Amino acid sequence: MRNHLKKLIQGHHLSFHEMKNVTLSCINNYTTESEIAALLTALQIKGETSDEIAGLVEVIRSRSLYNTTNVKNVMDNCGTGGDMSGSFNISTTSAFVIAGAGVPIAKHGNRSISSKTGSADVLETLGVSLFFTPAQVEESLDKNKIVFLFAPHVHDALRSFSKVRKDLGLPTIFNIIGPLINPVMLHSQFIGVYRKEKLEIVAQTLHKLGRKRAIVVNGANGMDEASLSGVNHLILLEDGKLKPFTLHPEEVGLPMYPNEEIQGGDAKKNAAIMKDVLQGNSSAYLDTVLLNAGLGLYAHGTASSIQQGVELANESVRSGKALACLLNLVDFSKKCTREVI
């Protein structure tokens, strides 16, 4: 480990295989917490490469028991975190809208690390289980189009890093890989990153991980979600090629709002915001979700354009299908709890 740390501190990159070996050392408890903290800090300062990200992701995913599903064309949507914006749970709310439009969503997430409320925190408050079995994941995806995969539950390999990440309380490579280590083999993905310079690296990594289609976005004013506050910078991965483009909300018929209009809070407040959005009540929160869900539907290929994606997202909400996906997942969670008891 020390040799690898010296290499990183000197500004050199680790190869794909070196990163796999470093990750295995951490997982197998051959390293100290101080060394893990030094590794995460050195990678953050140097700037992670797609090989380093892919090496870490491959090891973590390979240790999960949740990496198969018979459900086809599954996607995930997630921001990497780390933007310190204090926004509500945009991607988690958008996931139910995408699922309501008929796209299977394996929503992978965690508790709060560098934000106020993580996806696991808000969903747990709403009554969603964090501890589905592999068979239950399959059933929920098949019948309800959505399931939640709680990262620490589906990845034993994360335990070696969790305390250090919590103690640091800062963005690290794990903010980038959080959406990438979804153990389900995904067809497509929509990911937000908090730094524009990470767009191409994450898109390259998605290609290396076998995604058929994907969109990576850096939102206006540095958000890790698409924002209504101005111009968003994006990259579309399609047919193995990366296509950069920009998007202003007015191009798809949505109004502008400053990011301060979509502030969240604790899990209870964010749960209330989520239900309010899924009930179709007009607000900056709803319009932000329509933009992000629309982009997700376009990333999946269900929508042939972002404009059509926003329209499908709006229909998912207005028809009640998005809210039904949440209520059905809560009911399914209760059923699973009773089965365990």
Side-chain angles (χ1 to χ4, degrees), residues 2-13 42 46:
R2 288 187 179 181
N3 289 333
H4 293 312
L5 287 174
K6 287 180 182 178
K7 188 173 181 179
L8 291 171
I9 291 169
Q10 291 169 357
H12 301 299
H13 303 311
K46 176 187 70 66

Side-chain angles (χ1 to χ4, degrees), residues 116-281:
K116 290 182 179 178
T117 305
S119 54
D121 301 308
V122 71
L123 290 177
E124 186 178 47
T125 298
L126 289 162
V128 174
S129 174
L130 306 185
F131 304 106
F132 294 118
T133 66
Q136 290 164 348
V137 166
E138 190 89 7
E139 182 180 353
S140 187
L141 273 175
D142 182 48
K143 293 182 178 178
N144 192 38
K145 299 297 184 184
I146 191 165
V147 74
F148 183 65
L149 296 159
F150 181 42
H153 179 61
V154 301
H155 294 295
D156 286 339
L158 290 180
R159 293 177 183 175
S160 301
F161 301 95
S162 58
K163 185 179 184 301
V164 172
R165 289 188 65 207
K166 190 70 176 178
D167 289 345
L168 286 174
L170 298 170
T172 68
I173 191 172
F174 277 86
N175 288 95
I176 298 174
I177 73 158
L180 301 174
I181 59 174
N182 191 320
V184 173
M185 184 57 69
L186 301 173
H187 165 272
S188 53
Q189 200 153 2
F190 176 49
I191 295 180
V193 296
Y194 64 97
R195 288 165 59 188
K196 189 164 66 173
E197 60 266 30
K198 299 293 185 184
L199 281 169
E200 187 171 349
I201 291 171
V202 172
Q204 290 171 346
T205 306
L206 286 166
H207 178 51
K208 291 178 180 180
L209 295 173
R211 304 293 188 265
K212 303 303 180 186
R213 278 178 65 92
I215 289 178
V216 187
V217 61
N218 172 244
N221 298 301
M223 285 196 68
D224 69 329
E225 313 276 0
S227 168
L228 296 173
S229 67
V231 176
N232 299 277
H233 295 266
L234 309 94
I235 292 181
L236 170 67
L237 168 63
E238 184 178 37
D239 299 327
K241 297 179 180 179
L242 306 185
K243 303 175 183 179
F245 67 102
T246 60
L247 178 70
H248 191 283
E250 292 177 344
E251 294 177 49
V252 290
L254 291 171
M256 291 184 66
Y257 292 97
N259 288 338
E260 290 75 19
E261 291 291 316
I262 55 170
Q263 289 293 294
D266 61 15
K268 186 176 180 180
K269 179 176 180 178
N270 284 10
I273 293 172
M274 181 183 293
K275 288 193 290 186
D276 194 63
V277 168
L278 297 181
Q279 287 166 354
N281 296 316

